Amino acid sequence: MRLARFESQVALVTGASGGIGGAISEALVAEGAEVHALSRKTKQSDRLIWHKVDLSDDGAMEAAADKISSTIDELDILVHAAGDFAMGTVARAPITDLDRMWRINMRAPWVLTKALSRALSARHGSVVFLNSSIWNNARGGTGAYSASKYALKAFADALRDELNPVGVRVLSVFPGRTASAMQQGIFAEENRAYNPDLLLQPDDISQIVLQSLLSANTAEVTDIHVRPAKKF
């Protein structure tokens, strides 16, 4: 009989309706964890506890964070996998794109982590930030997205310094292009053929994250950079 490596652990995952967040949610459930899934869209699943919220809505995000923190006293794993992307030059991109990406990519993780920091400390838990390989390689047309991811890296590093003394570990993961509906849209904007077989797969990232979470509590994995093995 296979050992459930996360049995009796409680996790919360944002962006859980698909992509990397969905893969991590399903992998944790399969390993015995109780998983609270946070997403704007929900899916039929008896294995996940869904919390429907639009992370781009500041008021809704704060209300959801307050509600979740009042029902979860102890939390082992918090995974920030939700993200938003839009292309556009500084001169032409609507400021609303910048505002939306800031809310989803940076502000929502901050609000949720703040609300759950006590629950994480109670279990000496772990926080995982799904960042992006672009965070330190900003290119024209990706300024707003890159800025939000650079800020997320800074937030994760500061949080690690604050929460390590109470036993909470903080991991940032920087995947390259990963097969997903969002990535398919990006390829379309770039006028390029989308071949998901040449990209990282969500399950690739989920297994890397789970293995990192299973490391002995005397060790902390801080930054993981993952690239597609096949070059396109």
Side-chain angles (χ1 to χ4, degrees):
M1 183 176 180
R2 183 181 176 185
L3 178 66
R5 298 178 295 175
F6 289 87
E7 189 172 3
S8 301
Q9 294 198 29
V10 179
L12 190 145
V13 182
T14 71
S17 61
I20 295 173
I24 292 174
S25 298
E26 293 295 339
L28 284 169
V29 166
E31 294 283 1
E34 174 187 297
V35 178
H36 294 259
L38 192 66
S39 178
R40 181 170 57 88
K41 300 176 182 178
T42 60
K43 297 168 64 177
Q44 290 295 327
S45 175
D46 296 331
R47 308 202 308 169
L48 301 174
I49 303 168
W50 285 99
H51 303 267
K52 185 176 181 180
V53 61
D54 183 353
L55 298 183
S56 68
D57 184 325
D58 291 349
M61 179 66 252
E62 291 175 5
D66 289 342
K67 182 179 179 181
I68 291 168
S69 64
S70 68
T71 58
I72 299 177
D73 297 325
E74 296 182 337
L75 184 65
D76 297 280
I77 302 164
L78 173 60
V79 180
H80 297 292
D84 188 63
F85 177 88
M87 295 186 70
T89 64
V90 174
R92 293 173 177 255
I95 197 67
T96 51
D97 284 355
L98 171 64
D99 291 341
R100 187 182 66 256
M101 281 186 279
W102 181 261
R103 290 189 183 100
I104 295 174
N105 298 350
M106 173 60 208
R107 191 180 189 279
W110 183 295
V111 171
L112 197 57
T113 305
K114 177 181 175 67
L116 293 170
S117 59
R118 184 175 300 178
L120 285 161
S121 299
R123 291 292 282 265
H124 305 298
S126 297
V127 185
V128 180
F129 293 90
L130 271 301
N131 203 299
S132 169
S133 62
I134 204 172
W135 82 272
N136 66 342
N137 187 32
R139 299 185 297 274
T142 68
Y145 178 75
S146 300
S148 71
K149 291 299 187 178
Y150 202 96
L152 188 66
K153 170 67 161 62
F155 171 40
D157 290 344
L159 183 71
R160 184 181 300 111
D161 194 49
E162 293 173 5
L163 295 187
N164 270 178
V166 295
V168 176
R169 299 184 294 182
V170 178
L171 167 65
S172 288
V173 184
F174 304 90
R177 294 193 182 227
T178 304
S180 65
M182 185 173 78
Q183 194 61 236
Q184 186 173 9
I186 293 172
F187 269 76
E189 285 195 63
E190 296 172 335
N191 294 315
R192 301 170 65 194
Y194 176 69
N195 185 349
D197 293 336
L198 296 178
L199 307 181
L200 290 166
Q201 302 301 306
D203 284 341
D204 298 337
I205 308 302
S206 71
Q207 292 308 309
I208 290 170
V209 168
L210 263 61
Q211 284 301 127
S212 300
L213 293 172
L214 287 168
S215 61
N217 58 14
T218 53
E220 179 184 32
V221 181
T222 58
D223 301 273
I224 298 178
H225 298 264
V226 191
R227 299 291 185 272
K230 299 176 182 179
K231 308 307 176 188
F232 51 88

